[in-house]
C-alpha cells in the first residue's frame, strides 16, 4: 500500500511541477497589447476586447512550442506581480476566476459583459501551463469606463 501511495504522489508531483516552473523564456522584445482599446476609453457593454501579440505566436494551453503562449485578461485587480501574492504569482499558474480570464483555446478576442462604471484591464501571456513567461509578457494596465 505504501508503494502505491508513493507512486501516486510521484506521478502527481511530476504533472504539477511544470505548472510551478515559471521558467518558460520569452524572446526579447515580445509584446502583448490591446488592439481596439486605449486607456481612458468609454465603451458600451458588452465590451469587445481584441488581443495583439508581437514577437511570439499564440498556441492553446498544453501546447509545448517555443516562443508561444496564450492570452489571459486580468480584470479589476492590481498589475501582475503586484497583487496579493506579489512576485510569487509570476512563478505559478494564473488562477481562473472573475479577475483572471483564461483563453487557453488560443482565442485572440473576447466579448466581456462588464457592469457600468470604471474597470481595469491587463493582458498577460501564459505558457502551456498558464504561468507567465520569463520575463513576463504583459500589457500596460488600462482603465476603461463602461457606460
Amino acid at each position: 500500500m505504501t508503494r502505491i501511495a508513493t507512486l501516486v504522489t510521484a506521478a502527481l508531483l511530476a504533472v504539477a511541477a511544470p505548472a510551478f516552473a515559471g521558467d518558460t523564456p520569452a524572446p526579447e522584445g515580445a509584446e502583448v497589447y490591446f488592439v481596439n482599446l486605449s486607456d481612458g476609453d468609454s465603451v458600451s457593454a458588452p465590451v469587445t476586447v481584441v488581443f495583439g501579440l508581437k514577437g511570439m505566436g499564440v498556441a492553446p494551453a498544453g501546447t509545448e512550442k517555443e516562443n508561444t503562449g496564450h492570452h489571459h485578461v486580468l480584470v479589476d485587480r492590481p498589475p501582475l506581480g503586484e497583487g496579493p501574492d506579489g512576485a510569487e504569482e509570476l512563478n505559478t499558474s494564473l488562477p481562473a476566476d472573475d479577475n483572471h480570464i483564461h483563453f487557453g483555446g488560443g482565442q485572440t478576442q473576447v466579448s466581456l459583459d462588464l457592469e457600468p462604471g470604471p474597470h481595469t484591464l491587463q493582458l498577460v501571456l501564459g505558457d502551456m501551463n498558464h504561468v507567465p513567461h520569463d520575463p513576463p509578457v504583459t500589457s500596460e494596465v488600462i482603465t476603461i469606463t463602461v457606460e
Side-chain angles (χ1 to χ4, degrees), residues 9-22 91-93 129 131:
T9 301
L12 289 172
L13 287 173
V15 170
F20 298 101
N91 299 313
T92 59
S93 295
N129 296 307
V131 179

Side-chain angles (χ1 to χ4, degrees), residues 10 15-16 18 20-21 23-24 29 36 42 51 56 58 61 77-78 84 87 89 97 105 108 115 119 121 127-128:
V15 170
F20 298 101
D23 60 359
T24 303
N36 65 322
S42 291
F51 319 141
M56 293 182 74
V58 175
R77 55 145 287 158
E89 72 180 347
D97 56 31
T108 57
E115 295 292 322
H119 296 278
L121 302 175
D127 69 8
M128 65 182 274

Side-chain angles (χ1 to χ4, degrees), residues 84-120:
D85 296 323
E88 184 177 310
E89 72 180 347
L90 299 175
N91 299 313
T92 59
S93 295
L94 292 167
D97 56 31
D98 290 342
N99 301 105
H100 306 83
I101 305 171
H102 290 240
F103 299 94
Q107 304 94 317
T108 57
Q109 71 177 48
V110 66
S111 181
L112 297 176
D113 193 17
L114 299 173
E115 295 292 322
H119 296 278
T120 62

